[in-house]
Amino acid sequence: MTTMTMVEAIRSALQFEMQRDDRVMVLGQDVGRLGGVFRATDGLLDTFGADRVVDMPLAEAAIVGSALGLALSGLVPIAEIQFLGFSNQAFHQIAPQLARYRYRSQGRFDVPVTIRAPFGGGVRTPELHSDAIEAQYANAPGLKIVMPSNPYDAKGLLLEAIRDRDPVLFCEPLRGYRLVKGEVPDGDYTVPFGQAAVTREGSDVTIVAWSAAVQLAEKAADVLAAEGISAKVLDLRTLVPLDVDGLARAVATTGRCVVVHEAPLTAGFGAEVVATINEEAFYSLEAPVERVAAPDLPYPSFQFEELYIPGVASVVAAARRAVRVPA
């Protein structure tokens, strides 16, 4: 085991899989000579050469479209989009092309494409760089969506994504790249999709989160513990597939739930989580499910982002409201 940051764990997964499978290649803007805007691909060009680490122009649609063609040719491409917010420029390649190619071909073609894209606030980036738009892609059937919160999951889920026969959108939390550290196995392992993880046990309220919001939920749980409120934290890990049974089980044990995400409230993936809880755990609920999210506004200038993204205080307040509803 080695202690790594998230970006180191991601780089470790890329190096491991490119060494293991010579069909795996990386493409994207600045992934070669620069080593990626956050250095996630640092050293890959020197190790694997220009045929497998390809610098692309600033053209997200061309990056994703090229990855689709390479996959249909028998390769296993990993496309890097520098920021998830920029993927809007490739939406017409991701949702109506990449995501549905297996269905369109009646199962004749595998499409093993992984799209890596960082996102999320707290790092004072300019406009469009921090947007949390994962919910847009949850409504693109055929595409899997992975949202790791820690280095162990980042490596294991990325190896699982690269080996998947279908396209995967792998969303990496900007805040976690260098601030979140943890022990990561040096060898081969995968984390299966569709298996949520309880990162903290509790008996009074369940806080459901994914990606960087998991650390936020855990900090809120610390504050709540000092007040005598025992909070369980559930990390969804993947939005598609969603661990419906694990979600229902975690909520049923407390009867009260708070869902936390960085995206705007309306039609955020939290709405899908709440709907699933209502379908699968309704008779276990002792209070309405609370949601904590960003307001329905465009992501602000970095001077105001602390007022925009959810903070510990808002999660704690929501948990208090949920717990105070009489049983």
Side-chain angles (χ1 to χ4, degrees), residues 182-227:
E183 290 195 335
V184 178
D186 297 318
D188 191 10
Y189 72 99
T190 60
V191 175
F193 293 166
Q195 293 187 13
V198 175
T199 64
R200 179 184 179 123
E201 288 290 354
S203 57
D204 295 326
V205 61
T206 301
I207 305 175
V208 179
W210 51 91
S211 192
V214 173
Q215 279 82 38
L216 179 66
E218 290 173 342
K219 290 178 182 176
D222 288 338
V223 175
L224 292 165
E227 301 177 7

Side-chain angles (χ1 to χ4, degrees), residues 26-313:
V26 171
L27 70 160
Q29 187 190 10
D30 294 330
V31 298
R33 288 187 179 181
L34 185 64
V37 66
F38 294 103
R39 306 299 184 265
T41 56
D42 192 27
L44 297 184
L45 178 63
D46 293 338
T47 304
F48 300 104
D51 289 341
R52 296 180 65 193
V53 182
V54 180
D55 277 321
M56 296 287 287
L58 177 54
E60 288 79 9
I63 295 170
V64 175
S66 298
L68 173 57
L70 291 162
L72 296 177
S73 302
L75 298 175
V76 181
I78 304 167
E80 178 177 306
I81 302 295
Q82 287 194 341
F83 296 91
L84 184 62
F86 297 178
S87 70
N88 281 320
Q89 309 303 322
F91 191 84
H92 64 293
Q93 288 292 325
I94 297 172
Q97 302 295 335
L98 182 68
R100 64 174 58 190
Y101 212 91
R102 174 178 297 285
Y103 297 84
R104 177 179 295 157
S105 68
Q106 299 181 351
R108 286 185 298 136
F109 291 100
D110 291 350
V111 189
V113 174
T114 300
I115 301 174
R116 295 181 41 251
F119 80 107
V123 290
R124 303 175 75 81
T125 57
E127 187 181 19
L128 302 176
H129 292 63
S130 295
D131 289 352
I133 57 173
E134 64 271 22
Q136 294 181 20
Y137 293 104
N139 204 15
L143 184 68
K144 296 172 182 172
I145 302 176
V146 180
M147 313 284 290
S149 68
N150 59 74
Y152 178 91
D153 282 358
K155 180 177 177 180
L157 287 167
L158 182 53
L159 290 175
E160 180 82 358
I162 298 168
R163 298 171 190 178
D164 200 288
R165 295 170 59 195
D166 293 309
V168 177
L169 178 61
F170 192 87
C171 302
E172 302 167 1
L174 277 168
R175 251 185 301 176
Y177 264 164
R178 289 180 172 79
L179 294 179
V180 179
K181 295 181 179 179
E183 290 195 335
V184 178
D186 297 318
D188 191 10
Y189 72 99
T190 60
V191 175
F193 293 166
Q195 293 187 13
V198 175
T199 64
R200 179 184 179 123
E201 288 290 354
S203 57
D204 295 326
V205 61
T206 301
I207 305 175
V208 179
W210 51 91
S211 192
V214 173
Q215 279 82 38
L216 179 66
E218 290 173 342
K219 290 178 182 176
D222 288 338
V223 175
L224 292 165
E227 301 177 7
I229 299 172
S230 173
K232 174 181 293 193
V233 176
L234 183 72
D235 179 355
L236 290 183
R237 285 174 155 170
T238 63
L239 305 188
V240 182
L242 177 64
D243 183 0
V244 174
D245 290 343
L247 173 63
R249 196 163 50 243
V251 174
T253 57
T254 64
R256 302 164 196 273
C257 181
V258 177
V259 183
V260 185
H261 60 69
E262 284 195 20
L265 179 71
T266 300
F269 194 77
E272 180 66 23
V273 172
V274 175
T276 302
I277 292 169
N278 284 337
E279 290 171 352
E280 304 294 333
F282 180 77
Y283 292 106
S284 300
L285 291 175
E286 296 179 353
V289 179
E290 295 276 349
R291 280 187 291 166
V292 179
D296 291 333
L297 296 168
Y299 203 95
S301 173
F302 66 83
Q303 296 96 327
F304 305 106
E305 70 174 354
E306 290 183 7
L307 301 174
Y308 179 82
I309 57 176
V312 172

